[in-house]
Amino acid sequence: RGAAIAANPQAGPIDQHVRSLTGSEALTQEFYALAADVFQELAVGTGAAVAKMTETLGRARTDPAGFAALLSPETQRRLRQLSTKITDQRR
């Protein structure tokens, strides 16, 4: 990930934002691992059609629960767990 961040000027600020949200290196790693799995499920679910993926992500901005419902039960569980860990970290 470090090389990808260094190669893309937009990636650094995004990575810093993720780190500020998660609050720890361990949760940052968990966030990125979950994000990779979510995108994999998104790609499979849309047949890897870029237009469909973009449309689905656009809808996710206004209906995050609807987007989460598209994910496998295991990924939904991991998402809930990570959310709880991040919330607990901020207390």
Side-chain angles (χ1 to χ4, degrees):
R1 185 174 60 232
I5 291 170
N8 183 337
Q10 296 173 334
I14 292 169
D15 181 62
Q16 287 300 338
H17 184 69
V18 168
R19 290 175 184 282
S20 73
L21 290 173
T22 60
S24 76
E25 184 62 27
L27 291 178
T28 298
Q29 296 299 328
E30 190 172 341
F31 175 91
Y32 281 120
L34 179 58
D37 290 344
V38 166
F39 277 104
Q40 180 182 7
E41 288 187 25
L42 176 63
V44 169
T46 60
V50 174
K52 285 184 180 180
M53 291 174 71
T54 302
E55 179 184 323
T56 301
L57 288 173
R59 282 194 319 266
R61 290 181 179 153
T62 57
D63 184 14
F67 177 74
L70 299 174
L71 302 173
S72 70
E74 174 61 17
T75 300
Q76 289 178 31
R77 182 189 63 75
R78 290 175 53 214
L79 180 59
R80 283 189 301 275
Q81 285 180 334
L82 179 58
S83 175
T84 299
K85 288 177 186 178
I86 291 171
T87 300
D88 290 348
Q89 175 84 6
R90 291 176 166 238
R91 290 183 188 169

